[in-house]
Amino acid sequence: MASQEEKQTRPFADIFDEDEAEKSFLLSKPTCLIVLGKPGSGKKTLAKKLAQTWKCIFIEALEVIQTNINEETEFGLKCQELLFKGQNIPEELVTEMILKKIESPEVAHFGYVLSGFPSLSEECMTVSQQIEKIKNLKLKPDILINIKCSDYDLCQRISGQRQHPDSGQVYQRNQWDPDVIKKHKKEKDKYEEKNEEGEEEEEQEEEETAEDPLKMSEFLNQLVQRPEDILENAEERIGTYKDIMLRPIE
């Protein structure tokens, strides 16, 4: 802290110690967020983007499992053993990994964006018990984001998803359906006709991103629909969410 004499000689100088301010900032609680929503509403996509923007740690079941396997932790070795035997990873083990990650020094410094917890599965804990776990976290969430979407729109979106079996990448209807792609292209062309400025730049971008039609056709033929994305199954999952999850969360 600056002395009284220094304050008088330098009336416009910052009287706070820079090191103390930095120390106080580093010891302050990091921002923590939870993203909630119906199955297929885009929780994971939004959570990833928020984690990148806020420089937080993205925490989600598959991400945590993959990290533990890559780092060959005790949890990771257990997961590998179960997967080699063709068995599912128990919900209890997944929950334990998620909570362990939230308590890690890395998360204590950067904060977290949590997606997919509470889980619809009540194999080891009910939804109410999972919510209680969140309430008792050392790093409690500062912000809860609940994505809202109509059941009809969500079912149409989910049933329009296709997955590439080799990469595991999921594509939306507007990325693989030729009719929808053509419709979007026509709309884009109409918009470009009205906006003549910047046409040359847009044409260059289109040339760079253009795909070989033959390769694109082969790629589209490889896409498959996952069982959980069939319309009837999507409707059932959303119904289960509303019955089990919605009321406790609200």
Side-chain angles (χ1 to χ4, degrees):
M1 188 70 71
S3 65
Q4 192 64 32
E5 290 178 3
E6 286 175 334
K7 286 182 193 176
Q8 291 173 351
T9 54
R10 295 185 297 163
F12 299 109
D14 188 352
I15 61 169
F16 296 102
D17 188 286
E18 190 177 329
D19 293 335
E20 285 296 322
E22 188 174 349
K23 182 182 176 183
S24 176
F25 172 74
L26 290 171
L27 291 174
S28 63
K29 181 185 178 297
T31 304
C32 302
L33 306 93
I34 293 183
V35 182
L36 307 164
K38 297 173 187 173
S41 59
K43 299 185 293 292
K44 186 174 178 179
T45 304
L46 177 61
K48 273 187 173 180
K49 288 181 179 178
L50 287 170
Q52 289 172 355
T53 304
W54 285 80
K55 305 293 186 288
C56 298
I57 306 300
F58 171 60
I59 302 176
E60 187 260 349
L62 288 175
E63 193 83 12
V64 169
I65 291 168
Q66 193 62 55
T67 303
N68 276 275
I69 289 173
N70 293 341
E71 294 177 358
E72 297 184 344
T73 63
E74 186 181 342
F75 290 128
L77 295 172
K78 279 184 186 177
C79 292
Q80 267 189 325
E81 187 182 345
L82 290 165
L83 292 171
F84 284 146
K85 290 178 181 177
Q87 298 175 6
N88 290 328
I89 299 170
E91 195 70 32
E92 188 177 357
L93 182 58
V94 176
T95 302
E96 204 174 339
M97 284 190 284
I98 288 172
L99 294 174
K100 186 80 174 174
K101 183 69 176 177
I102 292 173
E103 293 168 2
S104 67
E106 182 186 21
V107 170
H109 180 73
F110 292 103
Y112 62 80
V113 181
L114 178 62
S115 171
F117 191 85
S119 165
L120 264 180
S121 171
E122 295 188 305
E123 187 182 310
C124 69
M125 281 193 291
T126 64
V127 170
S128 298
Q129 287 172 332
Q130 292 178 65
I131 291 172
E132 203 58 37
K133 281 278 184 188
I134 292 170
K135 287 181 179 178
N136 294 326
L137 287 172
K138 187 179 177 182
L139 284 176
K140 291 180 174 59
D142 302 292
I143 301 168
L144 300 176
I145 299 171
N146 187 18
I147 301 172
K148 293 194 174 182
C149 181
S150 74
D151 293 355
Y152 175 81
D153 290 338
L154 196 52
C155 286
Q156 292 302 309
R157 179 179 181 272
I158 293 171
S159 61
Q161 292 180 154
R162 296 293 184 271
Q163 186 179 44
H164 192 269
D166 292 337
S167 65
Q169 180 70 35
V170 176
Y171 297 88
Q172 301 301 324
R173 188 180 292 279
N174 61 358
Q175 295 174 297
W176 65 265
D177 190 330
D179 294 333
V180 178
I181 292 169
K182 281 179 186 176
K183 184 182 175 184
H184 283 190
K185 191 175 184 304
K186 284 180 182 177
E187 289 174 357
K188 187 180 178 184
D189 291 341
K190 284 180 182 178
Y191 177 79
E192 286 175 358
E193 284 175 11
K194 292 178 182 178
N195 298 273
E196 294 179 359
E197 292 180 6
E199 275 187 0
E200 291 179 6
E201 291 179 8
E202 287 174 3
E203 283 172 10
Q204 286 175 1
E205 285 177 11
E206 281 179 8
E207 286 173 10
E208 288 172 5
T209 57
E211 294 282 350
D212 182 350
L214 183 61
K215 286 183 180 178
M216 195 64 185
S217 176
E218 289 174 0
F219 174 78
L220 293 176
N221 289 333
Q222 293 173 359
L223 299 179
V224 295
Q225 187 176 32
R226 299 175 298 180
E228 62 265 32
D229 292 339
I230 295 169
L231 183 59
E232 291 78 9
N233 294 340
E235 288 172 344
E236 187 180 341
R237 284 166 62 208
I238 291 168
T240 304
Y241 175 89
K242 290 165 78 174
D243 293 340
I244 295 175
M245 183 84 76
L246 196 56
R247 189 167 293 173
I249 283 177
E250 288 181 344

